[in-house]
Amino acid sequence: ETGVTQTPRHLVMGMTNKKSLKCEQHLGHNAMYWYKQSAKKPLELMFVYNFKEQTENNSVPSRFSPECPNSSHLFLHLHTLQPEDSALYLCASSQRTGGPGANVLTFGAGSRLTVL
Amino acid sequence: GQNIDQPTEMTATEGAIVQINCTYQTSGFNGLFWYQQHAGEAPTFLSYNVLDGLEEKGRFSSFLSRSKGYSYLLLKELQMKDSASYLCAVKGYGQNFVFGPGTRLSVLP
């Protein structure tokens, strides 16, 4: 596999469920990101990890819990979500330093989440 | 604060040239990026400007004026497959990329 892979592609969950989104990158990048894309709104940065360490948390509610066990994998754990959390969740990765390709985000195809 | 503006929608004809504008006000500037996103797909990188001027990549060019907080993406010889949303993004401090709302471009035959 190449690029950034996200699973599942589609997820429907109730407000009391607990689920997780998974992201894996095969690009050798050292930074990984979670973005939220809602209809008619800009992409919103949620979390950033550099070398497995969280460096950005964009005031995200605690019902979203990220986990980065290594520089290739990123999870987003979801619990007690609200219907307004329904959106496309995009994972991205980048090479933080070095060369003209540094900081270019490579996105996964996204996980479409529906909260009932 | 952080603010990036783009037109919501644009329409152009196959074979024509279209310019998509982006204005920004951000705390910190470390580059401006353009991404293309087809419906239901991931955004893909198109171009990057960090210094003033024009960057050309085939049918796509991007321009930046830092003093004016302004960029544009120029698409030449439009093709039907260019119908997509075009996202302007500014890299601020650290790894904070701020995205604009996107411009949905429709290319008509």
Side-chain angles (χ1 to χ4, degrees):
Chain A
E1 288 233 40
T2 58
V4 180
T5 304
Q6 289 188 242
T7 54
R9 292 293 310 277
H10 299 273
L11 178 63
V12 179
M13 58 188 289
M15 289 191 285
T16 58
N17 291 160
K18 287 186 181 181
K19 296 285 185 183
S20 295
L21 306 180
K22 178 183 176 183
C23 177
E24 185 174 359
Q25 59 98 358
H26 308 269
L27 300 167
H29 288 168
N30 49 33
M32 295 189 77
Y33 310 72
W34 280 117
Y35 278 89
K36 176 183 178 182
Q37 188 172 38
S38 305
K40 301 188 188 298
K41 291 178 71 175
L43 277 168
E44 300 173 56
L45 178 65
M46 300 176 72
F47 301 104
V48 183
Y49 279 81
N50 283 296
F51 297 100
K52 305 188 302 176
E53 299 298 321
Q54 188 180 124
T55 55
E56 301 273 351
N57 177 339
N58 214 18
S59 303
V60 180
S62 59
R63 56 186 184 270
F64 295 92
S65 174
E67 179 191 358
C68 189
N70 56 61
S71 57
S72 298
H73 294 84
L74 185 64
F75 295 89
L76 188 63
H77 303 300
L78 316 169
H79 60 100
T80 59
L81 294 191
Q82 305 298 313
E84 60 265 27
D85 296 323
S86 298
L88 181 68
Y89 288 85
L90 289 163
C91 174
S93 68
S94 72
Q95 190 63 28
R96 191 180 171 196
T97 56
N103 295 311
V104 171
L105 296 172
T106 300
F107 286 89
S111 294
R112 173 73 61 186
L113 173 67
T114 303
V115 182
L116 302 176
Chain B
Q2 316 267 57
N3 188 49
I4 299 181
D5 282 321
Q6 303 177 236
T8 305
E9 292 190 28
M10 298 182 72
T11 303
T13 305
E14 197 174 13
I17 299 173
V18 71
Q19 177 175 311
I20 302 174
N21 295 325
C22 171
T23 57
Y24 64 90
Q25 291 175 303
T26 56
S27 52
F29 179 86
N30 285 292
L32 188 138
F33 299 76
W34 285 95
Y35 288 83
Q36 179 190 60
Q37 186 177 25
H38 286 99
E41 297 183 14
T44 55
F45 170 73
L46 286 178
S47 71
Y48 162 63
N49 296 71
V50 66
L51 299 175
D52 290 352
L54 190 68
E55 293 284 339
E56 298 187 74
K57 288 176 76 172
R59 294 190 299 116
F60 292 61
S61 304
S62 58
F63 172 83
L64 175 67
S65 169
R66 288 172 296 169
S67 61
K68 295 182 180 177
Y70 167 70
S71 173
Y72 67 73
L73 180 69
L74 194 70
L75 292 78
K76 303 174 189 174
E77 301 169 15
L78 280 174
Q79 302 175 10
M80 300 296 288
K81 67 177 182 180
D82 297 329
S83 293
S85 287
Y86 291 85
L87 312 179
C88 172
V90 173
K91 182 176 184 293
Y93 296 121
Q95 297 300 102
N96 194 357
F97 292 84
V98 179
F99 280 80
T103 298
R104 187 161 60 195
L105 174 66
S106 298
V107 179
L108 305 178

